[in-house]
């Protein structure tokens, strides 16, 4: 089963994502951008769902750092900031796709399936 790293500091948003992904993927959590970078470097992650606003290191900076070492690792920005400039900033940082919150299962699975297969 593929593993998705969810970089999300908000507990309720994390719980929602685990509910959406349960049964289809293993889920690992990072509470902030710095932890996401460290977990990506540790390996075993097939895709990252990255929140934009997090403590210690925001999603944009975490994405830049991860993509420096792992350019092929898919990163999907998952954020409540849904303006076009937020999407552009995410893509310029190296994100492979962008989902605006609130997220639903169909949209989430459709975006994930662009990058990895469901086991």
């Amino acid at each position: 089963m593929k593993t998705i790293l969810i970089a999300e500091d908000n507990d309720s948003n994390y719980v929602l994502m685990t509910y959406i992904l349960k049964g289809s993927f293993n889920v690992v959590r990072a509470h902030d951008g710095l932890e996401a970078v460290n977990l990506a470097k540790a390996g075993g992650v097939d895709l990252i769902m990255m929140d934009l606003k997090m403590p210690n290191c925001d999603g944009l900076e975490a994405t830049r750092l991860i993509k420096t070492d792992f350019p092929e690792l898919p990163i999907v920005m998952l954020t409540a900031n849904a303006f076009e400039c937020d999407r552009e900033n995410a893509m310029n940082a190296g994100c492979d796709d962008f989902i605006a919150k609130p997220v639903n299962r169909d949209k989430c699975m459709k975006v994930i399936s662009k990058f990895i297969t469901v086991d």
Side-chain angles (χ1 to χ4, degrees), residues 64-102:
R64 286 184 199 99
L65 292 169
I66 292 166
K67 286 293 192 168
T68 297
D69 292 332
F70 307 98
E72 301 303 316
L73 179 59
I75 300 178
V76 177
M77 187 63 67
L78 182 64
T79 183
N81 298 3
F83 295 107
E84 186 57 33
C85 64
D86 297 312
R87 175 185 289 278
E88 289 173 12
N89 289 338
M91 301 312 263
N92 288 337
C95 286
D96 298 285
D97 212 326
F98 183 97
I99 300 175
K101 294 176 186 173

Side-chain angles (χ1 to χ4, degrees), residues 2 4 6 11 24-25 32 39-40 47 53-54 56 66 69 77 79 81 98 104 107 114:
K2 303 281 186 186
I4 294 180
I6 302 172
D11 290 338
S24 300
F25 301 99
D32 61 47
L39 287 170
L47 182 138
K53 304 258 188 219
M54 293 183 291
N56 298 323
I66 292 166
D69 292 332
M77 187 63 67
T79 183
N81 298 3
F98 183 97
N104 66 52
K107 168 87 174 171
K114 292 181 191 177

Side-chain angles (χ1 to χ4, degrees), residues 4 6 8-23 25 27 29 49 78-80 99-109 112:
I4 294 180
I6 302 172
E8 174 62 67
D9 61 319
N10 181 289
D11 290 338
S12 60
N13 289 338
Y14 173 73
V15 169
L16 173 61
M17 290 306 300
T18 59
Y19 179 77
I20 288 171
L21 301 173
K22 73 178 179 179
F25 301 99
V27 175
R29 182 181 188 182
M49 303 295 286
L78 182 64
T79 183
I99 300 175
K101 294 176 186 173
V103 64
N104 66 52
R105 187 177 199 289
D106 291 340
K107 168 87 174 171
C108 190
M109 297 304 268
I112 290 170

